[in-house]
Amino acid sequence: MSDRTHVGPLQLGETAPNFVLDAITREGTIAIDDFRGEKPVLVGLYRGLHCPFCRRHIATISLLTPALNEKGIESLTVVNTPIERARLYLRYHPMLGLLAASDPKRTSHRAFGLPNMQITEDESAWPQKVSMSDVKAMRVNVPGEMPEPMDPFATLEYLNKKDNYGITEADQQMMATGVGQLMGQFLLDRNGVVRWTFSEVFDGGLGAHPNSEAMMSVASHIGQ
């Protein structure tokens, strides 16, 4: 599978590459080509279930899935979480209608141009690398859930504790190599062409929130 992280995330008008991943919420595999020529699909590529921002994005998409389905649009969630860990989490936190796939090696993220940001000692070149001091200078806020904006590391700790999310060995393995993986969402038409996109690369950095209203507006025009 191709790697376009040196180019950047897929943009409007570009055609998405295929990828094939193990399904979490059903048996077998899921591929982009399953939808191509059949129906539009909203593809969400996330760090993993160890990331509280990702869990909130996924929960939001789960709530929007019925409205997307009414427009003839499928939703596919991809997490950098090993399949058994993901299935265990979703067993206790079920999300109705969620179609999800496991990609612990982050091949789909590289194919869609989402970089795995490296945290360095003193060098920054967003989005490929950011110094530790610059990361700690960032301020992230989740309105209604945090007492004040915090740096990304403090935010992760605070929200995971708030969610009562226990980091497992499987999570630690993912975090060891992909703690800086940037996430994104891509709304593809039935031909696999990008019609709307959001990413942490271009749209606000770590912990940014996509504009669901804008996405649903575009969805209304590309669905059935």
Side-chain angles (χ1 to χ4, degrees), residues 29 34 40 54 60 70 96-97 115 121 123 172 179 181 197 210 216:
T29 60
D34 293 342
C54 302
T60 297
E70 286 182 5
L96 187 63
E121 187 172 325
E123 184 180 3
Q172 290 174 341
V179 70
Q181 177 63 61
T197 182
M216 291 301 295

Side-chain angles (χ1 to χ4, degrees), residues 10 38-39 41 101 108 122 127 130 143 164 167 170 192 198-199 201 208 214 218:
L10 288 173
E38 297 294 329
K39 62 173 63 176
V41 58
S108 58
D122 56 9
V130 179
N164 196 29
I167 298 295
F198 157 85
S199 76
V201 176
V218 174

Side-chain angles (χ1 to χ4, degrees), residues 115-196:
N116 182 14
M117 180 188 72
Q118 301 301 305
I119 299 177
T120 70
E121 187 172 325
D122 56 9
E123 184 180 3
S124 289
W126 178 268
Q128 301 296 335
K129 58 182 69 173
V130 179
S131 70
M132 180 62 75
S133 61
D134 283 347
V135 172
K136 289 186 175 181
M138 296 177 184
R139 288 297 176 264
V140 179
N141 190 25
V142 179
E145 295 200 60
M146 297 169 55
E148 61 184 3
M150 304 177 185
D151 72 61
F153 294 115
T155 300
L156 293 175
E157 182 177 359
Y158 180 87
L159 291 177
N160 278 334
K161 184 176 181 179
K162 182 178 185 294
D163 295 347
N164 196 29
Y165 186 92
I167 298 295
T168 66
E169 182 178 350
D171 293 322
Q172 290 174 341
Q173 291 174 352
M174 295 299 97
M175 295 166 68
T177 57
V179 70
Q181 177 63 61
L182 300 183
M183 60 183 179
Q185 296 176 355
F186 303 83
L187 180 58
L188 312 180
D189 66 19
R190 67 182 67 255
N191 296 314
V193 176
V194 179
R195 297 304 182 191
W196 173 88

Side-chain angles (χ1 to χ4, degrees), residues 1 11 27-28 37 55 64 67 69 82 84 90 93 97 104 113 124 129 134 150 155 176 198-199 203 221 223:
M1 189 179 298
Q11 294 298 293
E27 297 302 318
R55 296 196 299 271
L64 290 173
N69 291 165
E84 293 306 323
L90 291 173
H93 301 84
S124 289
K129 58 182 69 173
D134 283 347
M150 304 177 185
T155 300
F198 157 85
S199 76
D203 299 298
H221 292 92

Side-chain angles (χ1 to χ4, degrees), residues 78-123:
V78 177
V79 291
N80 304 152
T81 302
I83 191 166
E84 293 306 323
R85 169 57 171 157
R87 285 177 172 170
L88 179 62
Y89 176 82
L90 291 173
R91 186 182 307 162
Y92 291 98
H93 301 84
M95 299 184 196
L96 187 63
L98 182 70
L99 180 62
S102 170
D103 187 7
K105 294 183 179 179
R106 302 185 300 280
T107 54
S108 58
H109 296 67
R110 290 192 293 274
F112 274 57
L114 293 169
N116 182 14
M117 180 188 72
Q118 301 301 305
I119 299 177
T120 70
E121 187 172 325
D122 56 9
E123 184 180 3

Side-chain angles (χ1 to χ4, degrees), residues 6-85:
H6 62 289
V7 176
L10 288 173
Q11 294 298 293
L12 298 181
E14 293 191 90
T15 300
N18 186 43
F19 60 68
V20 182
L21 301 172
D22 290 327
I24 296 169
T25 49
R26 71 183 191 196
E27 297 302 318
T29 60
I30 302 175
I32 292 296
D33 281 354
D34 293 342
F35 308 97
R36 209 183 307 270
E38 297 294 329
K39 62 173 63 176
V41 58
L42 175 64
V43 181
L45 305 176
Y46 302 100
R47 272 183 287 281
L49 294 171
H50 59 270
C51 166
F53 305 127
C54 302
R55 296 196 299 271
R56 283 158 174 76
H57 283 240
I58 294 167
T60 297
I61 292 300
S62 178
L63 293 175
L64 290 173
T65 295
L68 288 168
N69 291 165
E70 286 182 5
K71 300 178 188 301
I73 299 172
E74 188 60 87
S75 175
L76 172 61
T77 291
V78 177
V79 291
N80 304 152
T81 302
I83 191 166
E84 293 306 323
R85 169 57 171 157

